[in-house]
Amino acid sequence: MGSNDSLTSTLQSNWRMLLIAGIAVTVLGLVATLAPFLVGISIALLVGVLLVGSAVFHFIGAFRGRGWKGFIWQIALGVVTLIAGAAVLLNPMFGLMTLTLLVIGYLLASGVVEVVMGIQLRGERYWGLSIVSGLIGIALAVMLWIGFPSTALWAVGVLFGVNLLVTGGSMVVLALGARGLATPSDAEPATGVGGV
């Protein structure tokens, strides 16, 4: 109970920052949704950079412990990671198509899990929502798969943008809710003596 009070107090005193952050995230989500190809390519390039960076760390770890039994495997893993990262950086469209396939796989797997969970929770309150959510995920996966590879041009960017829009919107709602709970002195600072 004390931690909930602390969280509420923190939200009440920081609602303005949360509101600004929520608006910024919402704007980024809107931009991502309107320019999905550019965002998708950017994400693919970021993944390529992260893979190359990971490969470097594999090599550093391997050469620092040269006497270690896993030295050869660490080098092999570094080479594979480096090749994957270089392939994405040299051909971001390849990376974008790979990411789209991963998104399709994720939507399909999570959809099946949600449907199974909903069936097992049958009789519980709102159990049907899990099944509906799962069926929507499966339908999205099927639609993306049927349109592949052309869906790679927009799927990752749009889904990323929608995620940011939902996150930003929830931050704004939370901030406005916390503002409503804040004391008048927290919500509107006094301007001079006696608040004049």
Side-chain angles (χ1 to χ4, degrees):
M1 192 69 175
S3 63
N4 284 342
D5 290 342
S6 174
L7 178 60
T8 302
S9 173
T10 301
L11 283 173
Q12 287 172 354
S13 58
N14 295 298
W15 69 267
R16 286 182 187 85
M17 288 302 297
L18 184 62
L19 180 64
I20 292 168
I23 292 171
V25 170
T26 302
V27 169
L28 286 174
L30 188 60
V31 170
T33 306
L34 294 175
F37 179 69
L38 182 63
V39 171
I41 289 292
S42 301
I43 292 172
L45 289 171
L46 176 62
V47 169
V49 168
L50 291 174
L51 285 170
V52 170
S54 176
V56 170
F57 282 113
H58 278 297
F59 292 138
I60 290 171
F63 283 106
R64 280 200 164 177
R66 235 180 300 204
W68 179 50
K69 288 182 180 178
F71 172 78
I72 296 295
W73 295 110
Q74 196 72 335
I75 291 291
L77 193 55
V79 169
V80 169
T81 308
L82 182 63
I83 290 171
V88 172
L89 290 174
L90 294 173
N91 185 359
M93 195 60 209
F94 165 76
L96 189 54
M97 291 197 329
T98 305
L99 285 174
T100 304
L101 288 174
L102 287 173
V103 167
I104 291 170
Y106 167 76
L107 287 171
L108 185 61
S110 64
V112 169
V113 168
E114 283 188 286
V115 168
V116 171
M117 183 175 70
I119 291 170
Q120 289 184 343
L121 293 174
R122 195 173 42 222
E124 295 288 333
R125 196 172 181 191
Y126 304 126
W127 64 275
L129 291 177
S130 180
I131 293 178
V132 171
S133 175
L135 290 175
I136 289 171
I138 293 169
L140 280 172
V142 170
M143 284 168 40
L144 290 175
W145 177 253
I146 289 172
F148 190 82
S150 63
T151 51
L153 299 175
W154 57 266
V156 172
V158 166
L159 291 172
F160 181 72
V162 168
N163 181 52
L164 287 180
L165 280 171
V166 171
T167 301
S170 65
M171 289 169 71
V172 168
V173 169
L174 190 61
L176 293 176
R179 177 186 178 220
L181 294 173
T183 60
S185 60
D186 289 337
E188 294 176 15
T191 56
V193 180
V196 180

